[in-house]
Amino acid sequence: MGAIRQCSRSACRQSAVATLTYVYAESTAVLGPLATYAEPHSYDLCPQHAGSLTVPRGWEVLRLAMPATPPEPGPDDLLALANAVREAASLPEHPETPQQRGARVPLESGQVEGTRLEGNRLEGARRGHLRVLREPS
């Protein structure tokens, strides 16, 4: 699902299969299956580093059940990605008057260069990254 994430350990180039999160209040490290998306305060680990995990003295390691094989992208994931690409491609383009390359046009206040304010929407602005989320079961 999505791009393959690498192990968070320095100099390790292996694909991540597990996510490590620390619960400092309970002195616990939680190691489980790879999270849907990268979180700022969690660490993605390859099989080798997940298997050799050690924690500080007095801490507990909570190991959640790991899947036997990594999850493959399903048809729902591929359909969601295809629909997002179709939606982005169907956005109408607004032809501008031709300008020389490097010509500068004054911007309205609060406008980002290369965009146009239309109604309350900013046209031409870079859209956010796509992320596929599973439906809750």
Side-chain angles (χ1 to χ4, degrees), residues 52-136:
S52 63
L53 175 71
T54 59
V55 295
R57 191 174 298 173
W59 280 57
E60 180 182 354
V61 178
L62 179 60
R63 294 180 186 266
L64 303 178
M66 299 289 287
T69 60
E72 294 292 322
D76 291 340
D77 298 336
L78 297 175
L79 285 174
L81 180 58
N83 289 337
V85 170
R86 281 189 204 109
E87 178 186 327
S90 70
L91 291 177
E93 290 190 27
H94 301 286
E96 301 279 332
T97 55
Q99 296 179 2
Q100 287 183 341
R101 186 178 182 129
R104 300 287 181 198
V105 177
L107 298 176
E108 296 177 24
S109 66
Q111 188 176 0
V112 178
E113 187 171 354
T115 63
R116 176 175 47 186
L117 191 58
E118 191 169 288
N120 286 337
R121 287 184 29 188
L122 206 53
E123 294 295 327
R126 181 171 178 224
R127 296 176 61 142
H129 296 286
L130 297 177
R131 185 180 323 154
V132 178
L133 300 176
R134 295 189 187 276
E135 263 186 41

Side-chain angles (χ1 to χ4, degrees), residues 6-14 46 48-49:
Q6 289 186 341
C7 183
S8 297
R9 298 289 299 258
S10 59
C12 182
R13 313 276 287 158
Q14 299 296 318
C46 66
Q48 178 186 358
H49 288 118

Side-chain angles (χ1 to χ4, degrees), residues 21-29 41 43 56 59:
T21 307
Y22 292 105
V23 182
Y24 293 99
E26 298 176 13
S27 299
T28 303
H41 298 289
Y43 304 91
W59 280 57

